[in-house]
Amino acid sequence: MVLNYIWIAFFIIAFVIALVKLVFLGDFEVFPAMMDSTFSTSKTAFEISLGLTGVLSLWLGIMKIGEKGGVVNVLARILSPIFVKLFPDIPKGHPVTGSIFMNIAANMLGLDNAATPLGLKAMEQLQELNTKKDTASNPMIMFLVLNTSGLTLIPISIMVYRAQMGAAQPTDIFIPILLATFFSTLAGIIFTSFYQKINLLNRTILLTLGGAALVVATIIWGFGQMDSVLMNKVSTSSANILLMLIIIAFILAGIKKKVNVYDAFIEGAKDGFTTAVRIIPYLVAILVAIGVFRASGAMDMLIDGVRWSVEACGGNSDFVGALPTALMKPLSGSGARGMMVDAMTTYGADSFIGRLSCIFQGSTDTTFYILAVYFGSVGVVKTRHAVACGLLADLAGVIAAIAIAYLFFG
């Protein structure tokens, strides 16, 4: 519903601005430019979608091997100690704990097809424990904030889009995204725990979050000691090594579980083609709307206005061109994806803005969509502090993404 209003607004605002330009400025080129944009962007969307097929098939095949090899279960067991502390209202040993672990673990691996059913199952089980059926319980809110903060270990789709858009090193945003999504998730946990009066000073949480924060701080400090050329080489090499290790680990996990890894790969790879075809209409719709919006001059007006405000406050405004992706992400995943692709198309996949838009895309998740789907599935209408905590986590992710982008690519 939100994306519907945004999509309509793009066209109406673009038409009004173009009409004003025509009537008051005598700009007879604006409407032809808008129509040319509709055809060119729809063609671009189609070409991008088909170009994604190969890489999507590769990664979905690898992910299917990991899924059947029990990697999700392993991650769930690793996460178990800290999650018990973050969900104190859930009775010990309740089945919902397993569903929550599995959902978060699947999200971390980018297994959206597995994560969503597990998440809906977890919400149904949490609703069984909920004494006020129309009101979100504390465990429900913590669970959703962990989902909306977007903690992802392998941002597959973003790297796929970067490859398709001609990036020299599609994986160079891998570590920056890991760092930005960590801060988003950490902020979500802190804000939600504050609302729910969860003690974050207990030994398990301090060791887990403190240890993770120390690792992240060490990474940031280490990269801060390097010049930009060395930083880019180390970051890209580390990302590629990590990704190759993940592939090998998934294959070994499949072998250990006596999975036919070849058949599992083929099963997952088949989804690559259907996924690429499935996103064509969505990508065409959002890219055409953005293209018309940009061709009318509305996008430039918006960006110039924000840039002027930032510069008037004495700030560096290099990041402003990527902000549309950050602003769209809480509302719509496909909308934000369109903004990311548009940024890479307009400024270049390897430009600062192109890379930052990718980090924005990977640092958080679609807050309002997740809240609507998950709460709607169990009939919860009173969300309490879920929206506030989710948006605060998003804001932390955006701020972290900007800072990290300047560190790595500024």
Side-chain angles (χ1 to χ4, degrees):
M1 183 63 73
V2 172
L3 185 57
N4 174 54
Y5 293 136
I6 293 172
W7 197 74
I8 293 171
F10 273 1
F11 281 101
I12 292 177
I13 292 171
F15 178 78
V16 170
I17 290 176
L19 195 61
V20 169
K21 283 186 172 182
L22 175 65
V23 174
F24 294 99
L25 301 178
D27 186 351
F28 289 94
E29 301 298 324
V30 62
F31 277 103
M34 289 169 62
M35 289 309 303
D36 288 343
S37 178
T38 62
F39 294 111
S40 64
T41 51
S42 60
K43 180 182 177 183
T44 298
F46 180 75
E47 291 172 346
I48 290 172
S49 297
L50 288 187
L52 293 174
T53 306
V55 187
L56 270 177
S57 296
L58 167 65
W59 277 106
L60 290 178
I62 294 296
M63 286 300 163
K64 181 60 71 173
I65 294 173
E67 183 181 348
K68 290 195 170 186
V71 176
V72 175
N73 292 327
V74 171
L75 267 177
R77 287 197 297 270
I78 293 172
L79 294 171
S80 177
I82 185 172
F83 275 30
V84 169
K85 301 296 183 182
L86 294 177
F87 296 91
D89 295 338
I90 297 178
K92 189 174 181 179
H94 194 280
V96 70
T97 306
S99 299
I100 291 174
F101 295 158
M102 296 286 280
N103 166 262
I104 300 299
N107 271 324
M108 291 171 69
L109 292 174
L111 301 172
D112 293 338
N113 291 336
T116 300
L118 288 168
L120 293 174
K121 180 181 178 181
M123 284 299 291
E124 290 176 2
Q125 293 170 322
L126 287 172
Q127 182 70 327
E128 292 174 4
L129 298 173
N130 190 9
T131 56
K132 297 181 179 179
K133 300 302 182 183
D134 64 340
T135 304
S137 64
N138 283 349
M140 283 181 174
I141 295 173
M142 178 64 79
F143 173 60
L144 287 184
V145 171
L146 288 173
N147 271 269
T148 62
S149 64
L151 182 60
T152 304
L153 296 180
I154 314 174
I156 297 169
S157 61
I158 297 173
M159 293 187 291
V160 169
Y161 277 105
R162 284 185 56 72
Q164 179 62 18
M165 298 302 295
Q169 290 290 345
T171 58
D172 60 7
I173 44 76
F174 179 72
I175 290 177
I177 286 178
L178 284 182
L179 297 176
T181 192
F182 168 77
F183 284 111
S184 172
T185 302
L186 181 62
I189 291 173
I190 292 173
F191 288 129
T192 308
S193 297
F194 175 78
Y195 270 102
Q196 299 182 2
K197 295 181 173 58
I198 295 174
N199 179 21
L200 293 177
L201 300 180
N202 70 73
R203 183 172 178 271
T204 302
I205 293 180
L206 280 179
L207 286 176
T208 305
L209 297 184
L214 182 61
V215 170
V216 169
T218 302
I219 293 173
I220 293 174
W221 176 84
F223 280 107
Q225 307 306 305
M226 306 175 190
D227 59 56
S228 58
V229 176
L230 179 60
M231 183 187 300
N232 188 47
K233 288 181 179 179
V234 173
S235 172
T236 302
S237 297
S238 301
N240 288 323
I241 291 170
L242 284 172
L243 289 171
M244 182 53 67
L245 286 173
I246 288 169
I247 292 174
I248 298 300
F250 280 20
I251 292 174
L252 292 177
I255 294 172
K256 184 179 178 182
K257 286 283 187 178
K258 294 182 171 55
V259 173
N260 186 323
V261 292
Y262 180 79
D263 287 347
F265 178 87
I266 297 300
E267 181 184 345
K270 288 178 181 178
D271 293 334
F273 179 78
T274 55
T275 300
V277 171
R278 189 169 62 245
I279 67 174
I280 290 176
Y282 300 99
L283 202 55
V284 168
I286 195 65
L287 284 186
V288 167
I290 295 170
V292 170
F293 193 74
R294 184 179 290 281
S296 71
M299 183 73 80
D300 291 335
M301 291 171 61
L302 173 64
I303 291 174
D304 289 343
V306 176
R307 180 177 289 111
W308 179 87
S309 300
V310 171
E311 291 175 349
C313 297
N316 185 311
S317 61
D318 292 347
F319 69 91
V320 172
L323 275 183
T325 304
L327 297 174
M328 181 67 75
K329 191 59 192 284
L331 303 171
S332 165
S334 59
R337 182 170 58 243
M339 290 293 188
M340 177 187 70
V341 171
D342 179 70
M344 287 193 284
T345 303
T346 304
Y347 300 99
D350 290 328
S351 66
F352 178 79
I353 291 175
R355 284 166 165 153
L356 178 56
S357 66
C358 293
I359 301 173
F360 280 147
Q361 177 74 356
S363 62
T364 60
D365 212 327
T366 49
T367 299
F368 286 104
Y369 172 81
I370 290 174
L371 291 176
V373 171
Y374 279 45
F375 279 145
S377 68
V378 293
V380 168
V381 294
K382 297 177 182 178
T383 60
R384 298 171 63 214
H385 50 276
V387 174
C389 291
L391 291 179
L392 286 170
D394 291 343
L395 178 60
V398 168
I399 295 171
I402 294 171
I404 291 165
Y406 275 116
L407 173 64
F408 279 80
F409 309 116

